[in-house]
Amino acid sequence: MTRSTLILSGLVFGLFTSMLLSLCVGPADIPLRSVFALFLGGEHVDSSLSVILLDIRMPRVVLAVLVGAALAQSGAVMQGLFQNPMADPYIVGVSSGAGLGATVAMGLGLNFWFYGLSAIGLLAFIGALGVTTVVYGISLREGRMPVTVVLLSGIALGALSSSITSYLMVAVRNDLFDTQRILFWLMGSLSSRRWEHVQMAWPQIVVGVLCMQWLARDLNALTQGEEYALYLGLDVERSKRLLLIGASLVAAAAVSVSGIIGFVGLVVPHVMRMWVGPDHRFLLPASMLGGAVLLVNADLLARVLIEPAELPIGIITSLLGCPFFLHLLSRRREVES
């Protein structure tokens, strides 16, 4: 068994363990045997515990897995595509566009659900994909898509979207515009998430993740340079478009249900690259599993650190990710010197 296979197996075990821990721990602790009894059958489980597990904690844990996997795998693709270790899923304006869409939805007091889609999530998804589409349109040059132009366009439009969001939060004053609620969403949270949110996010995330995994060999070639990829017979522009669309799709779906959660897509691919190497056939699934493990545990900490209140999960990921990322940068500087 290869080293990469062992690491992937370990990540699967770590994810399973983290999910069980998250299901058991909370304001109402639930014995592990009750969790197994509920899902595997056996002893009777109290109806109140069943509601807590199936209707409150389980959808939240599943959503943490989906969002963490989506952000981390999208980050690994972005870093490979842009050849930039500082790239993450939000670099093409996904987070800023989603923030603007969610701000508009909350500012207008929209609370409807439409075929499993919440108003806030729907407008956040539209905002994220809208900004990404504009970035793509601006960057297209005679059928080519220079990654440097995509990068700079994403930064510029992301800054513009953030500025509009800030303006709305400062300038608009009415009974519907809940600034505190908007700030909490912008910091990221899985609080009060239910199966409807899982239903809203999983199709886009699954399709995008499979698309990126299918293109792993193409991404390997692109990381060696476009000329090398062309020499291998790769349709470079088509591969770049599909990778960008896939990464943006899963990031937009994740942000639409969780808010803006930083550092997952930035730090996790770096760690997984150290463990399994640069081959994206292994790096992408490793990043997906690592991101899921990180977010499940970060969500658990967000729930229990200041009970009965709850921290935004973005605070937890930043507190965990920032020092670790600085450590990675210092190690890289030592190696280069």
Side-chain angles (χ1 to χ4, degrees):
M1 185 177 289
T2 64
R3 182 171 182 268
S4 297
T5 305
L6 284 172
I7 291 172
L8 290 174
S9 301
L11 287 169
V12 170
F13 177 76
L15 177 59
F16 179 72
T17 304
S18 298
M19 292 175 69
L20 285 178
L21 182 64
S22 189
L23 288 173
C24 293
V25 177
D29 290 334
I30 298 175
L32 184 60
R33 66 175 182 275
S34 296
V35 176
F36 282 116
L38 185 64
F39 291 107
L40 301 178
E43 69 179 71
H44 173 72
V45 178
D46 185 82
S47 59
S48 60
L49 294 183
S50 177
V51 169
I52 292 173
L53 279 172
L54 294 180
D55 297 333
I56 298 177
R57 291 188 186 171
M58 192 63 186
R60 185 165 177 162
V61 169
V62 171
L63 203 60
V65 171
L66 288 171
V67 171
L71 293 179
Q73 195 186 48
S74 180
V77 169
M78 291 288 186
Q79 288 171 13
L81 182 62
F82 292 117
Q83 292 293 287
N84 187 336
M86 298 301 293
D88 73 354
Y90 303 142
I91 203 163
V92 291
V94 170
S95 62
S96 301
L100 178 57
T103 299
V104 170
M106 285 183 269
L108 295 175
L110 301 178
N111 291 307
F112 65 83
W113 281 83
F114 179 73
Y115 287 101
L117 305 177
S118 71
I120 296 172
L122 182 60
L123 264 69
F125 186 71
I126 291 172
L129 286 189
V131 171
T132 305
T133 301
V134 174
V135 168
Y136 176 78
I138 292 174
S139 306
L140 207 58
R141 297 286 191 277
E142 298 178 353
R144 297 184 66 254
M145 190 181 64
V147 291
T148 303
V149 179
V150 176
L151 192 63
L152 295 175
S153 301
I155 292 172
L157 282 171
L160 176 62
S161 300
S162 296
S163 298
I164 297 173
T165 300
S166 300
Y167 172 78
L168 292 174
M169 292 173 64
V170 172
V172 178
R173 288 288 180 268
N174 57 48
D175 295 337
L176 295 175
F177 207 86
D178 190 343
T179 303
Q180 185 175 1
R181 184 184 177 199
I182 293 171
L183 284 173
F184 194 80
W185 190 92
L186 292 174
M187 288 188 287
S189 176
L190 297 177
S191 177
S192 303
R193 298 302 190 266
R194 298 293 182 264
W195 288 114
E196 292 86 353
H197 297 90
V198 175
Q199 179 185 351
M200 176 180 171
W202 79 262
Q204 301 96 300
I205 291 177
V206 170
V207 170
V209 162
L210 292 176
C211 175
M212 288 187 286
Q213 188 62 49
W214 178 58
L215 293 168
R217 291 180 182 274
D218 293 3
L219 188 55
N220 282 341
L222 287 171
T223 56
Q224 302 298 317
E226 292 188 15
E227 290 185 3
Y228 176 79
L230 283 169
Y231 177 75
L232 293 178
L234 183 68
D235 188 339
V236 171
E237 297 306 319
R238 173 181 173 274
S239 296
K240 288 195 297 184
R241 284 195 297 269
L242 289 175
L243 285 165
L244 179 62
I245 291 169
S248 300
L249 178 72
V250 298
V255 173
S256 68
V257 293
S258 69
I260 299 171
I261 300 175
F263 279 98
V264 177
L266 187 63
V267 173
V268 172
H270 280 279
V271 177
M272 294 301 116
R273 197 173 287 110
M274 292 167 53
W275 288 1
V276 302
D279 187 343
H280 288 89
R281 292 175 300 169
F282 299 103
L283 178 58
L284 294 186
S287 297
M288 182 177 64
L289 291 168
V293 171
L294 173 60
L295 208 62
V296 169
N297 286 287
D299 182 55
L300 175 60
L301 290 175
R303 286 193 282 119
V304 302
L305 281 180
I306 56 171
E307 287 181 350
E310 184 172 318
L311 284 170
I313 195 171
I315 293 177
I316 302 296
T317 56
S318 296
L319 288 173
L320 294 174
C322 184
F324 192 77
F325 191 66
L326 291 175
H327 171 66
L328 288 177
L329 289 178
S330 65
R331 281 191 57 183
R332 179 169 181 164
R333 184 177 61 184
E334 290 173 3
V335 171
E336 290 176 348
S337 62

